[in-house]
């Protein structure tokens, strides 16, 4: 009889991991207060309160709350007057929204490779992609791990480019003691249901630049002038990207719990890294001493099939799922530059761009996407050591019975 669950054996784990999102009586009471207040949206008091509190949390002077993290990126690009004819450099190992936001602004996404030690944007690969049309760099803090902001800011200053921090995964993360979202020109956050700080859907923009803040505020509030009280004048081309009061009160309560949960994730991540060394075929990402806090929305790792009997990553993860480790995923397994929308009429109409992405080859990203990249969702780090032990023990079980997968 087979031992591996994928072949009919008993799974190593049958109990669930920590559920997400979490809520309690305080969230319910705050929602009731909004319900009874009669002000459910349109720059309400709760939204303003949360925006100010979140700015302070991020060590930023200003914040604007938005309906989601995708819209946050779009508003930022519009506020920076980035559009048709402009180019924005980004990593391809990210959620599609980073690229689609650039496209909806009318600009052209330009992909630079990632660092094999971090899976974040490789600062050494940026300059070769800069042209006269380049206006900004989007630094994506993958999984909560801060990018090398020193090197990215050096490149940006040299070429007079904006730096947008896509911190959708990175609430509370720090680079050299500075919170992400306060290092570049502007930061974008997501509060979608899976995120470490969440309200179902939601987003925020942070900045230390007063003029940029006013521009962002105008764009997100239907183009109204920040310094004017006249409601039906719209001097700026804007949109409605305002957060609802329901979202704001949930976030205000959830923010009270964030730092404690980050500490727990970091403790469990350190234990996981230690245990993964036992496998011999899982490599943790480089532990950079400049990262003073990693929120670990994802625990990203590299799977080495040549050290695991040649079993392909996708099959390995499938076998893990069968063993009850459903929180493991193959990550961004299709590079954005291979996605069909970049070769569509909609893309060409939005950007006016006729460039072809078909011949792009970024070797580190390709290896991460197709062969090595994988991650565990953050809820795997919110339990006890026994949860971490189950994850690693399941990996070792697959390794020890790899012969059962030889025909897959």
């Amino acid at each position: 009889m087979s031992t591996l669950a994928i072949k009919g054996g008993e799974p190593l784990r049958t109990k669930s991991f920590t559920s997400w999102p979490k809520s309690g009586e305080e969230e319910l009471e705050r929602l009731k207060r909004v319900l009874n207040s009669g002000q459910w949206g349109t720059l309400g008091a709760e939204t303003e309160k949360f925006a100010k509190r979140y700015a302070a949390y991020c060590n930023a002077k200003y914040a604007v709350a938005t309906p989601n993290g995708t819209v946050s990126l779009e508003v930022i690009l519009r506020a920076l007057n980035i559009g048709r004819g402009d180019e924005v450099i980004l990593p391809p190992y990210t959620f599609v929204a980073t690229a689609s936001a650039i496209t909806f602004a009318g600009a052209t996404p330009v992909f630079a490779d990632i660092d094999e030690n971090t899976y974040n944007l490789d600062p050494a690969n940026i300059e070769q992609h800069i042209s006269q049309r380049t206006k900004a760099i989007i630094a994506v803090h993958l999984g909560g791990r801060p990018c090398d902001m020193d090197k990215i800011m050096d490149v940006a200053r040299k070429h007079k480019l904006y730096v947008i921090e896509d911190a959708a995964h990175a609430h509370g993360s720090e680079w050299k003691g500075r919170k992400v979202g306060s290092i570049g020109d502007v930061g974008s956050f997501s509060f979608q249901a899976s995120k470490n700080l969440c309200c179902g859907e939601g987003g925020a923009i942070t900045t230390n630049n007063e003029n940029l803040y006013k521009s962002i505020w105008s764009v997100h509030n239907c183009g109204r002038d920040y310094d004017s009280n006249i409601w039906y004048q719209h001097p700026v081309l804007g949109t409605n990207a305002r957060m609802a009061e329901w979202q704001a009160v949930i976030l205000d309560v959830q923010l009270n719990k964030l730092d404690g949960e980050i500490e727990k994730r970091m403790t469990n991540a350190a234990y996981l890294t230690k245990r993964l060394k036992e496998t011999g075929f899982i490599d943790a990402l480089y532990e950079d001493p400049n990262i003073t806090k990693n929120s670990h929305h994802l625990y990203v790792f590299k799977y080495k099939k040549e050290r695991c009997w040649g079993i392909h990553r996708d099959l390995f993860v499938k076998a893990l799922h069968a063993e009850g480790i459903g929180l493991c995923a193959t990550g961004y397994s299709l590079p954005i530059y291979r996605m069909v929308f970049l070769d569509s009429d909609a893309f060409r109409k939005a950007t006016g761009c006729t460039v072809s992405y078909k011949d792009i080859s970024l070797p580190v990203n390709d290896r991460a996407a197709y062969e090595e990249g994988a991650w565990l969702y953050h809820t795997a780090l919110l339990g006890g050591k026994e949860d971490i032990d189950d994850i690693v023990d399941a990996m070792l079980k697959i390794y020890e019975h790899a012969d059962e997968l030889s025909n897959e």
Side-chain angles (χ1 to χ4, degrees), residues 182-222:
S182 69
I183 305 170
D185 294 284
V186 60
S188 173
F189 292 85
S190 169
F191 305 129
Q192 178 263 349
S194 73
K195 300 301 190 295
N196 297 21
L197 181 62
C198 71
C199 61
E201 297 289 352
I205 301 167
T206 54
T207 185
N208 286 303
N209 184 312
E210 182 179 8
N211 290 332
L212 180 54
Y213 163 67
K214 289 181 178 181
S215 179
I216 289 166
W217 187 93
S218 293
V219 171
H220 108 293
N221 188 23
C222 305

Side-chain angles (χ1 to χ4, degrees), residues 99-252:
S100 64
I102 297 169
T103 302
F104 275 119
T108 301
V110 175
F111 299 100
D113 211 349
I114 58 175
D115 185 324
E116 65 179 352
N117 297 309
T118 68
Y119 283 3
N120 278 334
L121 183 64
D122 185 354
N125 195 248
I126 294 173
E127 284 195 279
Q128 68 189 69
H129 298 282
I130 294 174
S131 74
Q132 291 182 340
R133 294 184 173 185
T134 308
K135 293 295 186 293
I137 301 165
I138 298 184
V140 179
H141 303 301
L142 176 70
R145 178 195 180 94
C147 296
D148 188 330
M149 291 305 295
D150 291 354
K151 292 180 180 178
I152 290 174
M153 293 303 293
D154 285 346
V155 173
R157 291 189 189 102
K158 178 181 176 181
H159 296 275
K160 295 181 173 57
L161 303 176
Y162 295 113
V163 174
I164 301 166
E165 296 182 70
D166 184 340
H169 293 172
H171 322 80
S173 292
E174 295 177 359
W175 173 260
K176 291 185 174 180
R178 294 183 64 187
K179 291 278 179 66
V180 299
S182 69
I183 305 170
D185 294 284
V186 60
S188 173
F189 292 85
S190 169
F191 305 129
Q192 178 263 349
S194 73
K195 300 301 190 295
N196 297 21
L197 181 62
C198 71
C199 61
E201 297 289 352
I205 301 167
T206 54
T207 185
N208 286 303
N209 184 312
E210 182 179 8
N211 290 332
L212 180 54
Y213 163 67
K214 289 181 178 181
S215 179
I216 289 166
W217 187 93
S218 293
V219 171
H220 108 293
N221 188 23
C222 305
R224 293 185 171 93
D225 187 343
Y226 180 86
D227 293 312
S228 172
N229 293 321
I230 302 175
W231 190 247
Y232 286 116
Q233 286 190 11
H234 309 270
V236 174
L237 177 60
T239 187
N240 183 349
R242 301 179 301 233
M243 177 178 279
E245 294 284 88
W246 318 102
Q247 297 167 295
V249 292
I250 293 291
L251 291 167
D252 194 50

Side-chain angles (χ1 to χ4, degrees), residues 79-91:
L80 292 173
N81 197 30
I82 293 173
R84 273 205 172 204
D86 297 331
E87 295 177 350
V88 179
I89 294 173
L90 72 158

Side-chain angles (χ1 to χ4, degrees), residues 62-84:
Y62 311 101
V64 171
T66 65
N68 58 66
T70 303
V71 168
S72 290
L73 287 169
E74 294 173 20
V75 168
I76 288 168
L77 291 161
R78 292 188 188 192
L80 292 173
N81 197 30
I82 293 173
R84 273 205 172 204

